[in-house]
């Protein structure tokens, strides 16, 4: 009898646990969870009504219709003041060219007739923009100048190798009677020692060419000393701009066109 009562007491928790498990799998009533009833019976619609404002119709979003080179991007504008303290306020005033016709005239003088058509408008302005202009917020020509400089070095080296050999000089006789090694493939190498390619691309000569075509009137930069342009690095800025124009032409039309421009429009004038 005692054994039967102990079995009955053990079966009560088992029945209770079984009832709890069964109740947990029952379908919840709508009064308890309306959201669960909605997800179980009615699919959620993903369409939006016409009253919802779209991204393109947002009146607060500015519509920039001007070219990229004419303005500073809104996201790069500062708070309206500068922490740079200038000793002489007159040095902060510097005006640059904003006339596309003057820029096209410079490209025509440098590249020849219809030279302004070799590059798009944005690239033409980017090639003549130094990193000092507008704190570099409108883009600058540093990478274009690096690429164009490599092209100019290659073309100047090839021009030296293709030039007539220099007059043969009398070599000093070797005291031991040795003869230097000679080979037709190495005959042009001596030309590089007689006339280094860097002599063709001296910054003074490139700056003089840039002044002849009117490049100082159209470059966009901010000199450190407006009263002393030479001390502010005008020659370096002019050289950088010429290299950037060559680099932009190479990216736009390929190496063949850029090499021809470097040879015929720049190196030939320097010689």
């Amino acid at each position: 009898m005692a054994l039967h009562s102990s079995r009955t007491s053990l079966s009560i928790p088992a029945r209770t646990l079984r009832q709890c498990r069964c109740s947990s799998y029952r379908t919840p009533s709508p009064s308890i969870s309306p959201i669960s009833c909605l997800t179980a019976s009615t699919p959620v619609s993903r369409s939006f009504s016409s009253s919802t404002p779209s991204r393109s119709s947002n009146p607060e979003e500015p519509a920039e219709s001007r070219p990229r080179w004419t303005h500073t991007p809104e996201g790069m504008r500062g708070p309206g003041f500068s922490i740079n303290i200038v000793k002489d306020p007159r040095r902060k005033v510097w005006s640059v060219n904003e006339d596309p016709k003057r820029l096209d005239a410079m490209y025509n003088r440098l590249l020849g007739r219809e030279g302004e058509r070799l590059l798009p408008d944005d690239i033409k302005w980017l090639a003549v923009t130094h990193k000092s202009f507008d704190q570099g917020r409108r883009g600058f020509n540093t990478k274009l100048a690096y690429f164009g400089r490599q092209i100019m070095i290659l073309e100047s080296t090839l021009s030296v190798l293709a030039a007539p050999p220099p007059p043969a000089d009398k070599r000093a006789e070797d005291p031991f009677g040795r003869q230097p090694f000679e080979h037709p493939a190495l005959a042009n190498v001596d030309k590089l020692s007689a006339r280094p390619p860097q002599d063709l691309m001296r910054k003074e000569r490139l700056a003089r060419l840039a002044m002849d075509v009117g490049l100082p009137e159209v470059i966009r930069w901010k000199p450190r000393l407006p009263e002393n342009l030479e001390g502010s690095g005008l020659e370096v800025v002019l050289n950088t701009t010429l290299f950037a124009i060559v680099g932009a032409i190479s990216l736009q039309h390929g190496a063949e066109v850029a090499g021809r421009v470097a040879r015929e429009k720049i190196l030939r004038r320097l010689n």
Side-chain angles (χ1 to χ4, degrees), residues 200-218:
L200 300 177
M201 297 172 47
R202 291 199 302 267
K203 64 178 183 179
E204 297 84 3
R205 305 178 67 178
L206 289 173
R208 192 180 306 113
L209 172 62
M211 292 180 181
D212 292 340
V213 299
L215 191 57
E217 287 76 18
V218 297

Side-chain angles (χ1 to χ4, degrees), residues 143-173:
K143 293 183 178 180
L144 291 177
Y146 177 80
F147 187 36
R149 180 182 177 85
Q150 308 310 312
I151 297 175
M152 291 294 300
I153 292 175
L154 173 62
E155 294 298 332
S156 61
T157 303
L158 294 177
S159 65
V160 172
L161 295 178
D169 54 347
K170 295 183 180 180
R171 300 176 180 175
E173 296 182 359

Side-chain angles (χ1 to χ4, degrees), residues 207-233:
R208 192 180 306 113
L209 172 62
M211 292 180 181
D212 292 340
V213 299
L215 191 57
E217 287 76 18
V218 297
I219 57 174
R220 301 200 296 180
W221 71 308
K222 174 60 179 65
R224 184 175 63 89
L225 304 173
E227 68 277 5
N228 185 10
L229 298 182
E230 297 294 334
S232 301

Side-chain angles (χ1 to χ4, degrees), residues 35-52:
I35 300 178
S36 61
C37 296
L38 176 63
T39 55
S41 58
T42 307
V44 179
S45 176
R46 297 185 181 273
S47 62
F48 297 92
S49 61
S50 59
S51 61
T52 304

